[in-house]
Amino acid sequence: MNQALFHYIAACPTAYHAVAYSAQLLQAAGYQHLPEGQLWDLQPGQGYYVTRNRSSLIAFRIPTGDLHSFQMTAAHTDSPCFKIKENPELPGSHYVQLSTEGYGGMIPDSWMDRPLSVAGRVTVRTPQGLAQHLVDLQEPCALIPHVAIHMDRKKDGGTEGYNMAVDLLPLWGQTGKSRSLRSRLAEQLTLPEEDILTTDLYLYNPQPGVSWGNFLSAPRLDDLQCAFSALTALLQAKPSATSLQVCCLFDNEEVGSQTKQGAASTFLMDVLERICLGLGQTRQQLLTALAHSLLVSCDNAHGLHPNHPEYADKNHTVCLNGGVVIKYNANQRYTSDAVSAGLFQLICQKAGVPVQHYANRADIVGGSTLGSIANTQVSVNTVDIGLAQLAMHSAYETAGSEDTAYMVQALTTFYESTFTAAEDGSYQLN
Ligand code: CO
């Protein structure tokens, strides 16, 4: 399972690649692409997927019988990194640097002194108009060097005070000796450089994932470990007679989700509505199905830190290899409540998967995630879960070697189950 995870992470250096590679896996399993710009013809029992901006994807399988509910998972395709600006090269007297800005909240230190590569998408001029292409230079081509400790004693191993526009500019080459980024992209695309219109390019860590001891380390575990698990669960789950099985992979979680393709967009609701209308159902039937539905928002959680156990809440410490984590927050940064967390616990019990409960120390704000944001567009019972990991938002993160399989097992069982909500607040689980 972890080898397949490492393969997925390596194939997904950016959100665009995560969507393209997930689409490839879906196609291989018989899922069909539905363009948003065309009318949909839906068949019972068939799997489909829709993309938006080519950086978010929603895959789903139509039930074989009458639609009763939606069994939905969500994870995110993006990770904190550096976006390369439109005019990339910053020429100096000796060195050429790349002009970048931060995307999301990375741990700056972790990106330094390691070979980085460049991937993303470019748009090119064609005789008909414009075409989009994915690019991935794959090999090391940039590096952000630390200042030697002898020259900058104040740093002394700390990570505070890095200036994005000064300390974190990547080295690209030497003045007069290095090739331009665009010429390298044009070469990869076998196109004239002047045909490139514009770019969405990112620096990424090309280091492969590795298993060691009881752990695994890889780039982008937040949140590709959950994206991989949710997609794998959808692909291996048995078809449902009554539930629409849905897997959402959203872009832009790391920058607040407020984009046309993010969890705060209408993407999920648009897709659910089009499915219901395509199946000849009314809006009334769509809203009825939502009342019986559950959204499982999957994003990694902070595991107990070996050097800093004091950051964990004493009663809500979660550990690597301890199974799936349910996340709670009084201020609703996490959606889990007694009902949604209760239903998900029943699923994990049915799956034979251990569950851990996470809450931040009351004086630590913590992060936010997809669930509560998606709820502003699709109001549905939602639970926030994840896997315990260390060093979240580092260029190289660490998780437990047993947990991916737990997550896949829990989500597969979830897809194969259905809930029926009764008037008195009780639920029947099948
Ligand atoms: Co995340």
Side-chain angles (χ1 to χ4, degrees):
M1 189 64 79
N2 289 333
Q3 284 310 313
L5 169 67
F6 295 152
H7 190 77
Y8 185 83
I9 289 171
C12 305
T14 71
Y16 305 105
H17 293 81
V19 164
Y21 188 61
S22 300
Q24 210 178 305
L25 296 176
L26 287 159
Q27 293 259 12
Y31 280 67
Q32 295 169 7
H33 180 221
L34 295 173
E36 284 201 286
Q38 289 178 17
L39 294 177
W40 298 354
D41 177 27
L42 305 173
Q43 301 301 325
Q46 175 63 42
Y48 301 94
Y49 67 92
V50 190
T51 69
R52 189 172 282 184
N53 190 47
R54 298 188 171 208
S55 63
S56 291
L57 175 148
I58 297 178
F60 57 89
R61 185 158 51 190
I62 307 291
T64 50
D66 286 344
L67 176 66
H68 161 82
S69 61
F70 308 110
Q71 296 287 94
M72 302 182 281
T73 63
H76 63 92
T77 53
D78 61 326
S79 302
C81 60
F82 293 85
K83 182 155 201 263
I84 300 170
K85 293 184 187 171
E86 199 52 32
N87 299 318
E89 284 91 8
L90 280 170
S93 51
H94 295 285
Y95 297 117
V96 180
Q97 292 167 290
L98 290 181
S99 180
T100 54
E101 54 189 326
Y103 175 88
M106 80 284 291
I107 299 177
D109 231 33
S110 69
W111 282 83
M112 301 173 84
D113 301 331
R114 62 164 69 241
L116 302 171
S117 192
V118 174
R121 76 169 164 189
V122 300
T123 54
V124 301
R125 202 188 310 276
T126 66
Q128 296 75 33
L130 172 152
Q132 298 185 41
H133 296 289
L134 291 184
V135 287
D136 182 0
L137 294 183
Q138 289 181 327
E139 61 192 26
C141 52
L143 184 140
I144 307 169
H146 265 107
V147 174
I149 198 157
H150 315 83
M151 294 173 177
D152 191 5
R153 299 238 176 233
K154 74 177 183 321
K155 283 220 171 65
D156 210 18
T159 58
E160 292 302 311
Y162 285 112
N163 182 314
M164 194 61 75
V166 179
D167 302 299
L168 297 173
L169 288 181
L171 175 64
W172 170 256
Q174 276 197 294
T175 307
K177 291 185 178 175
S178 64
R179 290 180 55 195
S180 75
L181 175 55
R182 282 204 176 198
S183 78
R184 292 194 59 173
L185 297 173
E187 183 186 65
Q188 180 167 97
L189 295 168
T190 59
L191 290 164
E193 197 178 324
E194 51 277 13
D195 283 357
I196 296 179
L197 289 167
T198 189
T199 63
D200 291 309
L201 295 173
Y202 300 87
L203 288 178
Y204 75 93
N205 176 12
Q207 189 176 350
V210 65
S211 295
W212 57 278
N214 307 114
F215 310 108
L216 59 87
S217 297
R220 306 181 288 285
L221 284 176
D222 170 20
D223 190 29
L224 293 184
Q225 191 176 19
C226 287
F228 167 82
S229 302
L231 193 66
T232 304
L234 177 72
L235 291 175
Q236 74 177 29
K238 293 188 198 80
S240 168
T242 57
S243 283
L244 185 89
Q245 299 160 323
V246 186
C247 172
C248 310
L249 304 179
F250 287 119
D251 191 10
N252 301 130
E253 190 277 339
E254 298 294 355
V255 293
S257 298
Q258 311 253 359
T259 59
K260 66 185 181 297
Q261 64 274 0
S265 76
T266 57
F267 187 27
L268 176 56
M269 196 60 189
D270 292 346
V271 168
L272 296 181
E273 192 166 352
R274 289 187 72 165
I275 293 168
C276 284
L277 296 176
L279 294 174
Q281 297 209 328
T282 61
R283 186 164 167 81
Q284 169 93 308
Q285 285 171 302
L286 162 66
L287 298 176
T288 307
L290 274 176
H292 297 288
S293 301
L294 187 65
L295 170 63
V296 180
S297 160
C298 313
D299 198 358
N300 273 358
H302 303 296
L304 178 71
H305 195 281
N307 303 337
H308 288 285
E310 71 278 11
Y311 292 143
D313 181 275
K314 281 201 180 77
N315 249 9
H316 300 89
T317 300
V318 297
C319 292
L320 280 61
N321 294 321
V324 174
V325 176
I326 303 180
K327 305 191 264 185
Y328 304 82
N329 179 251
N331 295 306
Q332 298 302 299
R333 282 165 174 265
Y334 303 134
T335 51
S336 316
D337 58 25
V339 172
S340 64
L343 290 172
F344 193 72
Q345 277 189 77
L346 293 178
I347 294 289
C348 288
Q349 209 169 42
K350 192 171 156 188
V353 169
V355 170
Q356 316 181 75
H357 301 279
Y358 178 86
N360 289 315
R361 243 179 78 136
D363 56 355
I364 292 177
V365 177
S368 63
T369 181
L370 300 161
S372 55
I373 293 170
N375 271 192
T376 60
Q377 292 291 338
V378 181
S379 167
V380 63
N381 263 341
T382 304
V383 61
D384 269 291
I385 67 160
L387 294 175
Q389 71 158 88
L390 299 173
M392 189 176 288
H393 293 189
S394 167
Y396 208 61
E397 300 171 323
T398 293
S401 55
E402 299 162 39
D403 286 333
T404 316
Y406 282 143
M407 182 63 101
V408 171
Q409 185 54 42
L411 296 180
T412 303
T413 304
F414 166 66
Y415 278 130
E416 293 175 349
S417 306
T418 51
F419 304 103
T420 305
E423 191 65 16
D424 65 357
S426 64
Y427 285 80
Q428 192 186 319
L429 170 64
N430 293 111

